Amino acid sequence: MDAVALAVLEARLSAIVAEMGEALLRTAYSQILNSSRDFSIAVTDAEARLVAQADHIPVHVGAMPFAARAVLDAFGPAMQPGDIFLLNDPWHGGSHLPDLTLVLPVFAEGRALFLCVVRAHQSDIGGATHGGYNPGATEIWQEGLRIPPIRLGEDGTIRPDLLAMLALNTRIGRDFTGDLMAMLGAARIGAQRLAALAEKHGAGAVMAGVAQVLDLSEAHARRILAAWPDGTWSGEAVLDDDGHGHQDVTIRATCTKAGDTLTVDLSASDDQVPGFVNSSRPNMHSAVCMAFAYLLDPEVAKNDGAFRALKVIAREGSVVWAREGAAVTLCTSHCSNEIVEAIIRAMQHCVPDRAMGGWGRRFRIAITGEDARRSGRRFVWHLFHARPGAGGHALGDGWNTAGEWHSAGGLKFGSVEMAEARFPLHFRRHEFLAGSAGRGTHRGGVGAELHLMIESAGPAFGNTAGDGARHGSAGICGGEDSPPHRYELVRPDGTRRVLRTKETGIRLEPGDMLHVRSAGGGGWGPPDRRAPVLIALDQVEGLA
Amino acid sequence: MSWVIGVDVGGTFTDVVGIAPDGREWLAKAPSTPGDQSEGVLHGLANLAVAAGLTLGELLGATARIVHGTTVATNALLERRGARTAMLTTEGHRDVIAMREGLKPARYDLRLPAPIPLIPRALRLPVRERLRPDGRVETPLDAGSLAAAIRTLREAEVDSVAICFLHSWRDDRHEKLAAEAVRAFLPHAFVTCSAEVLPEIKEFERFSTAAVNAYVGPVVARYLTRLEARLREAGFGGPVFVILSHGGVAPISEAVRLAAATALSGPAGGVAAAVELARRGLGTELVTFDMGGTSTDIALVQEGAAALGRGREVGGERIALESLDIVTLGAGGGSLAHKGAGGTLQVGPRSAGAVPGPAAYGAGGTEPAVTDANLVLGYLDPGRFLGGARKLDRDAAREAVARLGAQFGIDAEQAALGIHALVNARMADGVRVATVRRGVDPRGSVLLAFGGAAGLHATEVARDLGMARVAVPLLAAGLSAWGMLRTELRAQVTRSVLGTEAMPEDHAIAALFAGLEAEARARLSGWVEGDIATSRGAEMRYGEQVFEIAVPLDGVEPTRDGLRAAFAARHRALFTYDLPGEEVVLVGARAAARAALPAGAVASLPVDTAAPLPPRRILLADGWVEAPVHDFSGLPDGAEVAGPAIAESATTTVLLRPGDVARMDGRGWLEIAVA
């Protein structure tokens, strides 16, 4: 293909994954998808190489090919046009159980060309607690329903008996079914567009073009790497705890930049722990890809080619690569964020102008109960509001309330009005939190303060799942850490209790309030070099 | 019979197109006057009167209607020169517009500078009040906190106030009360209530749109009021309409009330013109390439229609109103060339503007503009620029270009070729953003080149992108203004559907749409006389979804079953499936009334029978050649011109390179087959 045709092909592939994402967003049933966008879309070729990926959730960037690979391993030659595949198990192509992945093969001229991969975080995936995150789990069977690659349907139609079985194993079967149909709709749209592309240009020409696109991305990434100084640096990041008595679980990264390659070695990280902060291997690999993508120029296409210059080394049995059977549900947040943090701490010595202060840690609460306005209908609601701040960087302060490293501004908290209309929740206050950012030449973005009243019919129950109540967001290049998160439960009689980051079965009565104070981002550069005008501006704006 | 006039204010020139009572179309131009655009508009109208052999008073006295495209709101947003604006908002929620729901664009650019909100935090003032989603008042509007906020507004001497309360989409009584109080204490302030701008749930979209409206409202109001007064003074008694971002037009009162909807008013006329030319047979797939003096607007017409969207951002600010999808580049014929920080030749983003203009104007400009380079290359005739209205000084242009060339050790000719090639490449990149980056292959489309400067660059841009066809309308320089006379008047009335039921009873549905239709019709009949057509639509979703889809309801029975069936069909068409048995919710209902603006007869342009023009020496990459010059407004239907050649009309010049073949199309354009 000539240069114009190639540029059109690359853009067309990006447009297809973006359109698939838009369809999923607009049709999904659960709040976590339709309001907070916790999903990702990718297209791979028939060898499971990442061809295109939409700008959704960065922690999925390097994980999607594992799902495609698992489907090919399980079904390979038996794969037929019209097949619909599904999986979620972290040892069979998944990252963690709540992330359900639907895979649709695209055939042309008698052979499989592409796989459309749609990954969406489910509001509930069964298991011992509502909402997908079980801080009490010490093995994966307590975390939810495990699904290896299965053929969910043939001839473009889902098998109703299988769907009923899956839905029955989740707490909100109606949402589960609605979301799965939305995932299928998105995958079908992608498959139709890709088939049209092959029809127009011929399968051979399209796949030759794809190979060229991947090679160009590889060259792009290597050109950037080649300009950085060579050397070996180390960095580490520390988790609060695993919820089962293991504090300060540590991730250690050794990064070696040589010529146009980067090697990241996580072998020195702590051993795996009982609690669910362990990472599955696909998620660990993806977290390293994510950190790598953050350090490169943003224009580098996120595909198989771009990651060829990256080598990942890790040790099975460590917290970043747990053995089969371990609890891992929190891993897409933690320890993903700490993997990134350890790598950035190492690389701040190599490319300080590309390093950024820590983006906030994730601290979620999932609430289940009943809404008097919709009697008999149970809800599960996930907290995405009061997002933490982004890290400061060489070019300026971090974005306020832009979220965590694993999503980098891709998770939306959604409309307060919509949340109040659909859930028995009352947002008394939701504003920036002064003084929450890590100081620096460029400070982190601020976090937020949320006062949330529970108005369920009868008691509701909450689980927390997160980290960062002991350790704030990391300061970098001389910048300071932010203060940590502080979540409190305030009863109508005024009694208060600080919530831990990993709790189950928190009883919430109507009238109870959650007071959330989220951390800002980490600072970049020494605070004493901050421009006086910026200090004054923060005072005027009430953010200092 | 009377005149109708379209007025398009660009960054450099103000174009005025008039359709005379006999159906003839006239074009006049005047330099734009950025300080007060209405001055340039009056000059343009005066020039039109002269061309038509009338006095300004006679022309305006015989004019039925003026349609206007303005960049006042756009410029205020881009240059951050809007009103000093404050916000009154629900206590505890004053950061809605700054939080942006936690979303940040450019996922992998973690060093993207954070945005600065239009309204600073210190002027986002909390007021104690609170509604619940069902419209229940939890906390009545607190007079004390409102008074305190208004005191702050007065001390801060704000010009504009956005009133943004939670759940005002359901019930806007608190916003109305607060607005009354603000008007009482700040009688000169421009007041915007969020529910009046966008009566829909989702506070970020509503508040952000209201903030933009408040920020640009006073600027737009000041300008349009002044314009209207000047027109009245000059003898105009008819209505002035403003083209809005969605391509329809509305009267001045509406354009002021909904000032945020004028953010893309400027380029909307060009898109309307392209749609009209598509209708006349130019082709269904077009890329508009509107290159003026300061900026260039690029848009897509697919299957004969222009794309509309609702997520538009201008200057980084979300405007959740319907608008055309237009890409704007900050470069045009007036862009200045200079030696950049990296030591390379650069063009733009600074522009010579109308004053002082390019060096060739001899009005004090010393830096070379793209126009100066084109003059040095022989592409422009120094005696015929703007139909001879503006004499160009070739020596001054040459000096300016030579001075820049000297910094690189090259002569004036080489520097001019470099500037010309560089601006072509930037234009091609812009077309790429509008097409290739959206996954559309431009090679099957016609590049529709218009605006004063496009003709000299279009064929090279097309060649760069592999596009085989370029069209330059006879009225190239005034096409946007012409397009404004081809739009329709549109009044849209929408209503959120309230109630606890997912779907009202059949009789209530019928009454709802009948009422909306009557209201839309009534609003429009106040603007225009003539036939009014109406159409209906609804916003619907499944019970657990949060995004509605727009369901056209023309020809659909206004009943529960009718609406459900139409929704299911639309959902299937958009998303490949529907969910039988699932609850369907009617969220919003709308009716639109439309009326065509009576337009003049089909283009029959003034045929200029001027004597054949002398050939011109032009510099191409291979050296100087002698190129014949054709007055293309005088070419008969079907006449062909082969490059190298120049085709000139009073307001634009088309450069044909060797191998390019242009053919005059009697429907009103020059069509070029690009080599």
Side-chain angles (χ1 to χ4, degrees), chain A residues 164-253:
Chain A
M165 188 206 78
L166 295 169
L168 199 59
N169 274 282
T170 67
R171 288 174 178 78
I172 317 280
R174 176 200 179 103
D175 280 11
F176 180 89
T177 306
D179 288 344
L180 196 64
M181 287 307 296
M183 292 167 71
L184 178 60
R188 278 184 187 152
I189 287 171
Q192 286 170 5
R193 302 288 181 269
L194 291 165
L197 202 62
E199 170 98 4
K200 188 169 174 193
H201 303 287
V206 168
M207 298 322 289
V210 164
Q212 277 179 283
V213 166
L214 300 187
D215 288 347
L216 285 172
S217 301
E218 177 181 2
H220 191 178
R222 289 193 188 278
R223 243 187 347 264
I224 294 165
L225 271 178
W228 301 356
D230 284 351
T232 296
W233 305 273
S234 297
E236 60 178 50
V238 182
L239 279 154
D240 284 359
D241 65 88
D242 78 333
H244 292 264
H246 294 73
Q247 285 200 342
D248 293 340
V249 180
T250 304
I251 315 294
R252 296 178 186 86

Side-chain angles (χ1 to χ4, degrees), chain A residues 260-457:
Chain A
D260 60 3
T261 61
L262 180 68
T263 304
V264 173
D265 186 346
L266 300 171
S267 309
S269 300
D270 283 359
D271 287 345
Q272 70 181 70
V273 288
F276 65 170
V277 300
N278 301 302
S279 179
S280 62
R281 177 163 175 253
N283 178 70
M284 173 272 292
H285 184 87
S286 193
V288 178
C289 289
M290 167 166 66
F292 181 60
Y294 289 167
L295 290 167
L296 292 176
D297 297 1
E299 295 79 22
V300 177
K302 274 33 148 206
N303 61 32
D304 180 77
F307 298 117
R308 288 176 194 156
L310 175 67
K311 193 172 170 208
V312 182
I313 300 169
R315 171 174 63 86
E316 191 171 12
S318 68
V319 66
V320 302
W321 180 3
R323 292 204 169 80
E324 178 156 9
V328 297
T329 303
L330 196 59
C331 73
T332 53
S333 308
H334 303 286
C335 57
S336 279
N337 284 0
E338 288 65 37
I339 293 173
V340 176
E341 186 182 319
I343 293 169
I344 301 291
R345 281 185 187 276
M347 295 301 288
Q348 67 178 318
H349 306 294
C350 174
V351 280
D353 285 356
R354 287 176 183 263
M356 65 294 291
W359 287 49
R361 296 191 181 198
R362 181 77 173 118
F363 186 171
R364 69 169 68 213
I365 181 160
I367 298 172
T368 188
E370 277 191 25
D371 185 345
R373 298 170 298 181
R374 310 177 87 193
S375 61
R377 194 174 289 178
R378 183 175 183 180
F379 71 89
V380 176
W381 179 80
H382 297 264
L383 171 75
F384 284 92
H385 293 78
R387 303 201 69 66
H393 49 80
L395 305 180
D397 292 345
W399 284 54
N400 300 324
T401 60
E404 306 84 354
W405 240 325
H406 65 4
S407 47
L411 283 177
K412 183 171 152 176
F413 57 71
S415 158
V416 161
E417 289 178 341
M418 191 60 93
E420 290 189 343
R422 295 171 70 89
F423 299 95
L425 299 170
H426 182 25
F427 290 74
R428 283 286 182 80
R429 178 183 182 80
H430 186 225
E431 280 190 0
F432 288 150
L433 178 59
S436 54
R439 300 192 318 141
T441 310
H442 296 142
R443 64 162 168 80
V446 297
E449 182 169 37
L450 168 68
H451 291 179
L452 182 70
M453 180 175 280
I454 310 298
E455 298 184 330
S456 52

